[in-house]
Amino acid sequence: MKLGLKLLQERARKGSFWWPYISNLPETYSVPIFFPGEDIKNLQYAPLLYQVNKRCRFLLEFGKILKHELENLKPDDHPFSCQDVDSSALGWAMSAVSSRAFRLYGGKRPDGTRSNVPMMLPLIDMCNHSFDPNAEIVQEEANSDRNMLVKVVAGKEIKQNDPLLLNYGCLSSDLFLLDYGFVIPSNPYDCIELKYDAALLDAASMAAGVSSPSFSSPSPWQQQILSHLNLDGPNSNLKVTLGGGELVEGRLLAALRAVLSNDEEAVKQHDLETLKSLTVEAPLGISTEVLALRTVVALCVIALGHFPTKIMEDESLLKQNVSPTTELALQFIIQKKSLIVDVMRDLSKKVKSLLAK
Ligand SMILES: C[S@@+](CC[C@H](N)C(=O)[O-])C[C@H]1O[C@@H](n2cnc3c(N)ncnc32)[C@H](O)[C@@H]1O
């Protein structure tokens, strides 16, 4: 937000050096904080809705604090040349920065290391994103400590009229939408967030064929493994993911394998890294592995059931003449649901091949 405030300050300052740049920035952004209520609802996916709400609440709160702080300032002391900076102006600035700033190395710290700071880079910020970019940003130190040379360097041959494309990062679809306001079809870095919840896992594993699951009442050795995986205990992190690079997050896979195995000796023969790896095939035996993978498939079914609409309904709506924000919301949820379906398909294939052994 610091850079956003600076942007607002320069936008309000008469004769600002940055005015030509700032006056050419988009007036609106397609990020969800500006979506109409109906399209926020259309986003359906709870972790994204949580982030959108969090950002909106922050902007409202910060707007109030700022108003209070600026209230009694003399015109000469006013950082925004007496212009009103409300939550909508803050939202504009936040979106300008999140969608256009690049994180680069800043000045040197006393210990010689460099801080990582967001910077607005006029002209460079005209480059769109691609996971197959044709250029990259290269930073070079100039002779003085304060100055930094920032260049865009071609990574491959670029023909005349080809767009210059940079890689903004291997980000999930949530971050592309929240920060940049677009959705990449079949984003290989997208994932689904789930909560490691014992009752939910008991239900999922029962659907997978476990008669008396013990996620809600793990034995002490299983609890120890869960706490090593940071899935149990006071500072646990219960957020686990499906999809992305890993298909099933290693911590979830290890927990499923350990709790479904019930064979302390067999589990303790393996280190955590082995238990977390899907490329290590069935370290605790085929039947445990099949139950673990089927439990994930059941989790996927439950996750899909939480979306109020089906992919086919979203796709047919998308074919109609919808607004750009509805289109983005639909693209986003289609992507999320397709990812779950892909995970189910890949895991079911694995189960089939295990059973054929
Ligand atoms: C750094 S700016 C890039 C320049 C921008 N296209 C412009 O005309 O000003 C980032 C914004 O460009 C758009 N953008 C960048 N890459 C995109 C992509 N692959 N697909 C769709 N929109 C993209 C998004 O609106 C994003 O917020």
Side-chain angles (χ1 to χ4, degrees):
M1 201 64 243
K2 215 164 147 185
L3 185 55
L5 290 174
K6 185 74 190 150
L7 207 56
L8 288 171
Q9 189 176 32
E10 292 299 327
R11 188 173 80 163
R13 196 158 68 87
K14 260 203 192 113
S16 163
F17 169 80
W18 292 97
W19 175 247
Y21 171 65
I22 293 172
S23 64
N24 277 303
L25 287 177
E27 279 171 29
T28 56
Y29 291 91
S30 56
V31 290
I33 54 166
F34 294 122
F35 278 18
E38 197 50 37
D39 286 328
I40 300 241
K41 258 206 257 154
N42 281 335
L43 288 169
Q44 298 181 6
Y45 177 61
L48 184 79
L49 290 174
Y50 173 80
Q51 290 301 332
V52 177
N53 280 332
K54 194 170 151 189
R55 288 182 186 209
C56 289
R57 261 185 284 123
F58 167 78
L59 289 170
L60 286 171
E61 284 304 309
F62 197 57
K64 272 191 222 158
I65 294 170
L66 210 55
K67 189 174 161 66
H68 179 71
E69 292 293 323
L70 300 176
E71 233 160 31
N72 299 317
L73 287 183
K74 291 192 207 110
D76 281 354
D77 296 335
H78 199 289
F80 305 106
S81 312
C82 293
Q83 281 191 14
D84 197 18
V85 175
D86 57 9
S87 55
S88 143
L90 290 170
W92 173 85
M94 186 200 237
S95 311
V97 170
S98 74
S99 68
R100 307 190 78 86
F102 292 87
R103 274 201 170 267
L104 298 179
Y105 297 119
K108 263 193 194 149
R109 296 194 187 100
D111 66 359
T113 60
R114 288 196 175 280
S115 54
N116 194 255
V117 285
M119 297 183 198
M120 304 302 282
L121 302 174
L123 291 183
I124 295 182
D125 69 0
M126 296 302 291
C127 299
N128 274 2
H129 161 85
S130 168
F131 288 129
D132 182 22
N134 54 17
E136 63 173 327
I137 297 180
V138 173
Q139 241 183 315
E140 274 174 19
E141 208 166 329
N143 21 11
S144 101
D145 202 30
R146 275 187 60 77
N147 288 335
M148 188 69 84
L149 202 60
V150 180
K151 305 194 279 193
V152 173
V153 176
K156 48 173 96 161
E157 195 193 342
I158 301 173
K159 301 212 172 67
Q160 197 175 3
N161 294 329
D162 275 359
L164 279 184
L165 298 168
L166 299 170
N167 187 345
Y168 293 178
C170 299
L171 308 173
S172 68
S173 296
D174 306 36
L175 285 180
F176 273 118
L177 186 58
L178 283 166
D179 284 347
Y180 297 94
F182 68 93
V183 176
I184 299 176
S186 312
N187 174 359
Y189 303 99
D190 196 18
C191 58
I192 282 281
E193 248 178 52
L194 301 174
K195 190 171 168 219
Y196 184 91
D197 177 280
L200 178 73
L201 285 163
D202 276 341
S205 56
M206 277 170 86
V210 181
S211 49
S212 49
S214 50
F215 288 96
S216 297
S217 50
S219 49
W221 66 268
Q222 288 171 328
Q223 210 159 0
Q224 202 179 22
I225 291 182
L226 293 177
S227 82
H228 284 315
L229 293 168
N230 212 6
L231 292 170
D232 189 59
N235 297 319
S236 53
N237 168 15
L238 301 180
K239 204 164 76 182
V240 288
T241 57
L242 299 179
E246 267 193 310
L247 201 60
V248 182
E249 186 183 318
R251 293 186 315 131
L252 174 62
L253 182 64
L256 290 170
R257 282 169 166 170
V259 177
L260 291 168
S261 154
N262 268 327
D263 182 345
E264 182 176 358
E265 286 299 298
V267 174
K268 288 194 167 164
Q269 274 173 22
H270 301 285
D271 59 20
L272 272 191
E273 289 317 302
T274 305
L275 293 177
K276 282 160 79 176
S277 167
L278 196 58
T279 48
V280 180
E281 202 178 77
L284 303 176
I286 302 252
S287 61
T288 302
E289 193 73 355
V290 166
L291 287 178
L293 300 186
R294 279 188 173 157
T295 301
V296 181
V297 173
L299 281 178
C300 289
V301 174
I302 296 170
L304 270 181
H306 283 142
F307 289 99
T309 58
K310 299 202 166 46
I311 297 184
M312 268 164 59
E313 294 171 82
D314 305 330
E315 282 173 342
S316 78
L317 204 56
L318 196 55
K319 284 188 194 129
Q320 294 167 26
N321 197 12
V322 291
S323 71
T325 50
T326 306
E327 191 175 329
L328 277 173
L330 289 170
Q331 286 170 342
F332 177 81
I333 49 166
I334 290 173
Q335 162 109 208
K336 285 287 170 201
K337 293 172 196 177
S338 307
L339 189 151
I340 301 177
V341 172
D342 290 349
V343 170
M344 286 167 73
R345 188 203 49 220
D346 291 351
L347 292 179
S348 301
K349 261 195 218 156
K350 273 189 184 290
V351 168
K352 216 169 159 188
S353 94
L354 283 169
L355 291 174
K357 285 195 173 145

